[in-house]
């Protein structure tokens, strides 16, 4: 058996190189940029009006404060999407709307509120500042300007920017493709009517598939096999096409009907490790075949979940270019707690948090690896080494689910 640290270290050294993919904006939400991106265009792309009003020549509107309002001939209109292609001549104005192209000859925009309709044109009531209400081409940034750094997670704001400057596809880390191989002759579909007294409802399929989706990975295929070596080998081989990570559930212990490890080695995986000095999840097996990793997760649902959470999730995050793998918080222990065993203990806990107070943790009484309530009632877990003792009031880091 190896330690938790050693297992994580071996995994870290064996995470395949993340792959790059060029993706359309519609499919990019939540993905992470593979490289820095610059803008192909300037923003704004053309000089336009910031207001509804009149595009004017500033020199025509000077001295209104002392000489009174100026009347300009209205010679046309520049609408957003329908520009005025002529040139504004001295003594003329062009009706203009927000976002519309500023016509040639004009250099300023007088907003509607500072004008009055006049029978012979428009009355300008106040002298504008030169260049007023004009958004100048490239004033925000010029074509070629840096937009986002490699490693940025693409959200609605970034997508809006790409759309605005004409970026159609972006380079991101490709989502790892995950397949599931669920083993167990005793398993019945959760919605099966014909569940026999000795059958177990399969809760790992929905747990692991949703955990995979939740981690941003792409769920490729799911297959179920009985505890049969030949069948396991055959289905495993089929699942390995177009799969970066194969998650197996069950059949990885020392029982006579546990075949995942033998099957993995029969299809060409080499063992990275098997069995970790931890509780729950001791039998975890990890194998590697070129760029594919296989996780043999224990069948006990809690063990499977904890192994997914502690080992698989960080790998899926790394493959997506992300490094923030754990969310955690510091909390005060509300009870004495000791690890009497000889394995690292992932103790599932509840966190109570009052505003402006340090969170306090409560242990969950039933920690059995077959007891799903130990994770459904928990907010996270603390890691306690063999022999370690925590007294009430001590601070501890909680990894949050
Ligand atoms: P195994 O690791 O295959 O020895 O299974 C350990 C325990 O987990 C046994 O009690 C199994 O019945 C149970 N188990 C295995 N697979 C599943 C599953 N997919 N859903 C729920 N329980 C399971
Ligand atoms: Mg089994």
């Amino acid at each position: 058996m190896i330690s938790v640290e050693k297992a994580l270290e071996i995994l870290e050294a064996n995470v395949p190189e993340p792959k790059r993919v060029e993706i359309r904006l519609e499919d990019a939400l939540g993905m992470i940029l593979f490289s820095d991106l610059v803008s192909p265009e300037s923003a704004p792309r053309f000089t336009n009006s910031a207001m509804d009003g009149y595009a004017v020549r500033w020199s025509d509107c000077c001295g209104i404060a002392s000489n009174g309002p100026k009347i300009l001939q209205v010679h046309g209109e520049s609408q957003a999407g329908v520009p005025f292609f002529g040139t504004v001549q001295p003594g003329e104005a062009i009706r203009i709307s927000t976002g519309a192209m500023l016509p040639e000859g004009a250099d300023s925009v007088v907003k509607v509120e500072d004008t009055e309709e006049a029978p012979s044109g428009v009355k300008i009531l106040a002298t504008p500042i030169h260049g007023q209400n004009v958004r100048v081409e490239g004033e925000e940034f010029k074509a070629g300007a840096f937009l986002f750094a490699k490693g940025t997670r693409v959200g609605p704001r970034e997508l809006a920017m790409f759309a605005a400057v004409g970026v159609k596809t972006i380079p991101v880390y490709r989502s790892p493709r995950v397949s599931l191989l669920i083993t167990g002759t005793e398993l019945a579909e959760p919605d099966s009517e014909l569940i026999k007294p000795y059958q177990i409802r399969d809760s790992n399929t929905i747990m692991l598939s949703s955990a995979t989706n939740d981690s941003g990975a792409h769920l490729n295929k799911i297959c179920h096999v009985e505890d049969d070596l030949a069948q396991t080998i055959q289905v495993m081989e089929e699942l390995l096409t177009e799969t970066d990570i194969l998650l197996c559930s069950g059949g990885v212990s020392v029982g006579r009907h546990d075949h995942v490890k033998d099957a993995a080695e029969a299809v060409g995986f080499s063992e990275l490790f098997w069995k970790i000095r931890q509780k729950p999840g001791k039998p975890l097996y990890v194998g590697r075949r070129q760029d594919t990793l296989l996780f043999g997760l224990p069948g006990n649902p809690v063990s499977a979940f904890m192994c997914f959470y502690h080992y698989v999730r960080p790998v899926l995050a790394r493959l997506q270019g992300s490094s923030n793998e754990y969310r955690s918080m510091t909390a005060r222990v509300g009870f004495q707690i000791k690890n009497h065993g000889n394995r690292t203990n992932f103790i599932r806990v509840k966190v109570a948090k009052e505003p402006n107070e340090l969170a306090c943790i409560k242990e969950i009484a039933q920690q059995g690896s077959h007891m799903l309530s130990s994770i459904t009632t928990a907010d996270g877990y603390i890691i306690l080494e063999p022999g370690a003792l925590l007294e009430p009031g001590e601070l501890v880091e909680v990894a949050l689910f």
Side-chain angles (χ1 to χ4, degrees):
M1 276 199 281
I2 59 170
S3 67
V4 171
E5 291 68 37
K6 186 72 194 165
L8 287 171
E9 199 182 294
I10 295 173
L11 257 186
E12 169 97 17
N14 282 281
V15 176
E17 269 305 302
K19 306 276 185 312
R20 171 191 171 133
V21 66
E22 199 68 27
I23 200 165
R24 288 151 44 93
L25 300 188
E26 297 87 302
D27 302 321
L29 181 66
M31 304 193 99
I32 293 180
L33 290 183
F34 196 94
S35 48
D36 292 352
L37 280 190
V38 297
S39 177
E41 288 179 359
S42 300
R45 204 158 61 82
F46 55 87
T47 299
N48 66 85
S49 175
M51 288 284 180
D52 292 323
Y54 292 87
V56 299
R57 303 168 72 102
W58 173 78
S59 51
D60 282 348
C61 308
C62 290
I64 290 178
S66 38
N67 305 334
K70 263 281 181 32
I71 292 187
L72 301 175
Q73 302 302 309
V74 178
H75 222 80
E77 183 176 9
S78 180
Q79 197 186 321
V82 190
F84 175 81
F85 286 113
T87 301
V88 181
Q89 304 293 345
E92 290 179 359
I94 293 296
R95 201 170 274 117
I96 196 162
S97 28
T98 307
M101 195 179 234
L102 193 75
E104 284 289 316
D107 52 27
S108 309
V109 171
V110 180
K111 63 177 195 280
V112 174
E113 294 85 337
D114 291 341
T115 66
E116 263 172 28
E117 298 260 347
S120 47
V122 60
K123 197 189 271 183
I124 307 294
L125 305 175
T127 301
I129 296 165
H130 185 257
Q132 178 177 295
N133 299 327
V134 173
R135 305 161 170 170
V136 181
E137 184 215 326
E139 72 176 16
E140 187 182 356
F141 53 79
K142 301 270 186 246
F146 171 86
L147 281 185
F148 299 111
K150 171 189 168 119
T152 302
R153 191 179 286 278
V154 177
R157 294 169 298 146
E158 289 76 16
L159 289 168
M161 179 62 91
F162 293 136
V165 299
V167 171
K168 291 173 189 70
T169 62
I170 52 173
V172 294
Y173 291 90
R174 193 192 68 193
S175 288
R177 299 161 305 182
V178 176
S179 290
L180 299 186
L181 178 59
I182 307 292
T183 75
T185 304
E186 76 279 29
L187 299 179
E189 299 226 4
D191 59 359
S192 158
E193 296 293 338
L194 295 169
I195 184 157
K196 305 203 172 65
Y198 45 83
Q199 284 185 304
I200 297 285
R201 285 196 190 85
D202 169 15
S203 52
N204 286 352
T205 297
I206 195 152
M207 178 176 73
L208 294 172
S209 54
S210 54
T212 296
N213 287 327
D214 220 20
S215 303
H218 171 74
L219 185 63
N220 208 17
K221 282 180 251 168
I222 306 176
C223 285
H224 294 79
V225 291
E226 300 199 343
D227 295 310
D228 174 272
L229 179 61
Q231 198 190 347
T232 308
I233 291 174
Q234 190 205 325
V235 173
M236 193 179 271
E237 189 65 68
E238 286 165 18
L239 279 179
L240 284 167
T241 50
E242 311 210 330
T243 289
D244 302 305
I245 305 284
L246 180 59
L247 299 181
C248 303
S249 153
V252 78
S253 227
V254 292
R256 291 184 56 215
H257 305 286
D258 291 334
H259 302 300
V260 163
K261 192 170 164 300
D262 290 340
E265 281 154 30
V267 301
F269 281 90
S270 313
E271 175 181 319
L272 294 181
F273 56 81
W274 181 39
K275 293 183 185 165
I276 307 176
R277 207 177 303 115
Q278 67 180 21
K279 191 180 167 182
K282 178 175 91 173
L284 177 66
Y285 168 87
V286 179
R288 178 177 179 169
R289 186 178 89 163
Q290 285 130 23
D291 269 358
T292 307
L293 289 180
L294 179 149
F295 288 82
L297 304 167
N300 268 315
V302 174
S303 309
F305 181 77
M306 293 304 293
C307 287
F308 182 93
Y309 209 80
H310 207 73
Y311 299 99
V312 180
R313 217 175 57 113
V315 169
L316 296 179
R318 277 273 303 279
L319 289 170
Q320 291 167 82
S322 164
S323 52
N324 50 341
E325 292 141 13
Y326 292 105
R327 280 192 313 128
S328 71
M329 79 193 296
T330 306
R332 201 186 294 288
V333 181
F335 54 97
Q336 193 201 60
I337 176 166
K338 181 159 187 189
N339 182 354
H340 295 282
N342 57 1
R343 288 185 267 156
T344 303
N345 214 338
F346 294 150
I347 299 169
R348 279 128 282 144
V349 296
K350 255 195 103 50
V351 180
K353 172 103 176 69
E354 296 294 330
N356 303 318
E357 273 183 26
L358 199 61
C360 185
I361 58 170
K362 298 205 187 84
E363 187 177 8
I364 285 158
Q366 296 193 303
Q367 296 270 330
S369 61
H370 57 300
M371 297 173 166
L372 267 177
S373 59
S374 76
I375 50 175
T376 57
T377 52
D379 298 304
Y381 59 106
I382 59 172
I383 301 175
L384 216 60
E385 296 304 334
L389 172 74
L390 289 174
E391 295 290 0
E394 276 192 63
L395 296 182
V396 67
E397 202 62 14
V398 185
L400 297 170
F401 290 141

